Amino acid sequence: MYKALYLSPMVPSYNIRETLNFFVALFNFKVARDEGSYVIIYKDNHLIHILEAGTYIGEMEFYLEVDAIDSLWETVKDKMGGTKVRPPFDREYGMREFHVIIPHTKTLMFVGQAIKQQGN
């Protein structure tokens, strides 16, 4: 079985800098990653992803980081009948992910695991 490591909201923003400043100035979050249009911040063991709102406002997204994505996928893939899903694939930012639209919602769930580098 897998272990859930983090569950992180993905917050769409019309002004990423102001949203970032809100969390940093008021709640003492720190920046883990800043790509301009996509920022990940953290406090203790908690992450928040901030992304450009665009057409995504009104939709919910969250990221579930796990320790054994491929075994989790093997466990759930045959139970996804009728669910919109993208099977596991490797991302350029070092994560292996699968994506699921949660039934009867406008919620996109990202499930991911850090790709281990050679020698690690």
Side-chain angles (χ1 to χ4, degrees):
M1 190 42 111
Y2 79 99
K3 180 179 179 183
L5 302 175
Y6 303 102
L7 182 63
S8 308
M10 300 178 76
V11 179
S13 172
Y14 290 118
N15 186 322
I16 289 176
R17 293 295 127 203
E18 290 299 317
T19 302
L20 172 61
N21 290 339
F22 170 82
F23 284 104
V24 169
L26 295 177
F27 298 100
N28 203 31
F29 274 74
K30 305 284 187 231
V31 175
R33 180 182 197 145
D34 187 344
E35 297 180 6
S37 62
Y38 188 84
V39 178
I40 300 173
I41 57 177
Y42 68 95
K43 174 76 172 128
D44 303 322
N45 289 324
H46 304 284
L47 301 171
I48 298 174
H49 300 238
I50 305 168
L51 60 151
E52 288 183 344
T55 58
Y56 299 111
I57 216 67
E59 296 179 3
M60 174 67 187
E61 297 179 357
F62 64 93
Y63 201 102
L64 175 62
E65 188 171 339
V66 300
D67 69 339
I69 192 167
D70 291 317
S71 67
L72 174 58
W73 175 251
E74 288 302 315
T75 302
V76 302
K77 70 179 183 180
D78 294 332
K79 300 174 186 174
M80 294 277 193
T83 302
K84 188 174 180 181
V85 63
R86 183 174 181 189
F89 62 104
D90 294 343
R91 301 299 302 252
E92 65 280 357
Y93 47 81
M95 298 296 285
R96 181 161 177 76
E97 299 177 349
F98 66 86
H99 302 167
V100 181
I101 299 290
I102 305 301
H104 309 289
T105 72
K106 288 186 163 189
T107 303
L108 175 57
M109 178 177 172
F110 296 83
V111 180
Q113 177 181 4
I115 298 170
K116 290 187 170 73
Q117 300 299 319
Q118 291 290 339
N120 290 343

